[in-house]
Amino acid sequence: MSRYFSSRFSGLTPYVPGEQPQDQQYIKLNTNESPYPPSPAAVEWATAHTRSLNLYSDPECRELREALGQSLGVEPDQIMVTNGSDEVLNFAFMAFCDNENPAVFPDITYGFYPVFAQVNRVPYVEIPLKEDFTVDTDALCAAEGTIFLANPNAPTGILLGLDEIARMAASRPDRVVVVDEAYIDFGGESALKLLDRYDNLLITRTFSKLRALAGGRLGYGVGSPALMQDLNTLRYSTNPYNVNSMTLSMGLAILRDKETVLHNRDSIIRVREETEAELKKRGFLVLPSSTNFVFARTPAMDGASLYQALKAKGVLVRHFTPERIRDFNRITIGTREQMQAFFRVLDEILGGRS
Ligand SMILES: *Cc1c(COP(=O)(O)O)cnc(C)c1O
């Protein structure tokens, strides 16, 4: 830390992203990216746009909002487009939390939430997941403050039903409930259909997972026009050109290419089911996943040792250190070939121990 760093941030612990190693080729199952390239049309459209890079991108992202609105069944003024969904989440902490409205989220969830709370200097309350790692809806409803809920949750992969989300939105109409739907495409029902009933719902989405555009950085929020206005006030006060024009055009191309997206979704779900079965055959406990990853532990060794042993053999998964989950590893679902390679390595490790 330099002596110039503001004391406001001296206690801040930044988010630690999953490893993106550049030194060697790993089988990379650690950051929930798509194992498939983005739609070929996306790459073509992005290239076509390099010619107009002398101009700023459209700060209103009008074309993409119109296309998104059509595909989601909402009005364009219910959508705000951002540089990944992390950005809209940060704006939500900024906009809807303060000393009277602390952020409220489960103790085991997306690791960025406590960081967003800290950087925006708002208090936060962590509600423990239940024994079976499901979300404690009653406790969230009873807590005062702005709820942030990843659904399905990460890193557990567990989906919460829509009636539970509705219960949270109804519990206190004077607070915002943010539903982070980064993984909703892999088996869940979206809270979009609740928007007509609850004007305190904010849904965040990303192109980083199923839509294979993690490196393009594209996300968005959906909610009432009034909520969007608040978020836009902050966006225009921070970075009106937050999404670059190549990424905007890639988003449009991906939206049109529904076939590739559905095909990839079906493949990932199929390989996820195979992976769950193979892990269980080897004695793993696997939490029920509605995502593109599985969260699993083996009685044969602790989570950190398994993570290290896999890494030493060229397979990257994600390990987390909090007490309750440190025997688990989060394994992204790759292609069938990648998962076969994962199991070959896993069997070497586990076989060597028995
Ligand atoms: C990946 C992820 C995000 C955000 O990803 P972006 O790349 O910023 O869109 C948000 N929430 C959860 C739970 C995630 O796993």
Side-chain angles (χ1 to χ4, degrees):
M1 192 184 359
S2 82
R3 64 197 170 94
Y4 309 105
F5 195 44
S6 166
S7 59
R8 278 182 302 160
F9 301 119
S10 55
L12 180 64
T13 319
Y15 178 69
V16 182
E19 297 163 271
Q20 300 289 355
Q22 313 290 328
D23 57 330
Q24 74 172 77
Q25 283 281 334
Y26 285 95
I27 295 175
K28 201 171 170 306
L29 308 176
N30 69 328
T31 45
N32 299 342
E33 292 138 325
S34 173
Y36 306 110
S39 161
V43 180
E44 246 168 69
W45 286 35
T47 312
H49 259 80
T50 53
R51 271 178 277 124
S52 53
L53 280 176
N54 55 316
L55 305 179
Y56 282 111
S57 57
D58 173 14
E60 293 183 31
C61 307
R62 187 184 301 272
E63 247 190 307
L64 183 59
R65 280 191 303 115
E66 279 169 6
L68 277 170
Q70 280 206 334
S71 114
L72 305 174
V74 301
E75 295 300 320
D77 67 355
Q78 293 180 267
I79 301 172
M80 187 179 89
V81 181
T82 52
N83 192 302
S85 60
D86 285 340
E87 190 180 40
V88 64
L89 286 165
N90 186 35
F91 285 139
F93 276 84
M94 237 192 251
F96 306 122
C97 300
D98 50 36
N99 285 334
E100 286 71 49
N101 302 283
V104 181
F105 42 81
D107 63 339
I108 295 166
T109 189
Y110 188 33
F112 223 140
Y113 298 161
V115 181
F116 287 139
Q118 287 174 53
V119 76
N120 290 298
R121 299 164 63 75
V122 297
Y124 63 94
V125 181
E126 293 175 295
I127 305 287
L129 291 183
K130 293 195 262 191
E131 204 57 40
D132 62 358
F133 293 101
T134 57
V135 167
D136 190 340
T137 306
D138 289 337
L140 280 167
C141 285
E144 271 180 62
T146 304
I147 294 178
F148 289 82
L149 184 80
N151 194 43
N153 197 12
T156 63
I158 297 175
L159 178 77
L160 196 64
L162 266 199
D163 43 341
E164 306 276 284
I165 309 274
R167 208 143 67 75
M168 281 181 222
S171 63
R172 292 171 196 267
D174 57 348
R175 63 140 151 240
V176 173
V177 174
V178 180
V179 185
D180 174 350
E181 293 193 337
Y183 300 104
I184 198 66
D185 301 290
F186 300 103
E189 200 181 356
S190 170
L192 280 169
K193 65 167 65 153
L194 298 176
L195 283 177
D196 284 343
R197 264 193 287 157
Y198 302 104
D199 63 3
N200 58 335
L201 260 188
L202 170 63
I203 298 167
T204 66
R205 292 273 190 92
T206 180
F207 279 68
S208 295
K209 310 286 159 64
L210 175 62
R211 287 172 181 76
L213 201 63
R217 311 304 303 129
L218 187 61
Y220 55 96
V222 194
S224 73
L227 289 185
M228 293 304 118
Q229 217 171 30
D230 298 340
L231 293 171
N232 270 313
T233 297
L234 296 172
R235 188 172 67 90
Y236 277 90
S237 306
T238 316
N239 184 9
Y241 310 109
N242 57 332
V243 184
N244 75 74
S245 41
M246 288 188 291
T247 291
L248 285 176
S249 62
M250 287 193 284
L252 273 175
I254 290 170
L255 272 186
R256 290 198 190 176
D257 187 0
K258 292 198 177 72
E259 214 174 301
T260 301
V261 167
L262 289 179
H263 179 265
N264 291 351
R265 183 195 65 182
D266 292 346
S267 306
I268 289 167
I269 291 175
R270 209 174 318 116
V271 176
R272 178 183 76 207
E273 286 165 358
E274 292 166 8
T275 303
E276 283 174 343
E278 288 295 321
L279 285 168
K280 286 178 181 167
K281 252 201 255 173
R282 289 161 175 82
F284 276 76
L285 171 78
V286 188
L287 299 188
S289 170
S290 298
T291 61
N292 66 336
F293 58 84
V294 291
F295 201 50
R297 72 164 188 239
T298 166
M301 59 200 295
D302 69 85
S305 304
L306 179 58
Y307 158 80
Q308 286 297 351
L310 287 166
K311 186 174 178 185
K313 289 175 180 287
V315 178
L316 271 189
V317 298
R318 187 90 195 254
H319 178 253
F320 301 90
T321 49
E323 177 76 38
R324 281 183 83 184
I325 54 171
R326 69 175 180 214
D327 278 336
F328 284 82
N329 274 288
R330 193 192 67 190
I331 306 155
T332 303
I333 302 302
T335 61
R336 180 170 283 142
E337 294 68 32
Q338 285 178 313
M339 300 323 286
Q340 283 165 350
F342 163 79
F343 280 109
R344 273 197 300 277
V345 168
L346 182 67
D347 288 341
E348 281 171 29
I349 294 166
L350 296 178
R353 291 177 63 86
S354 54

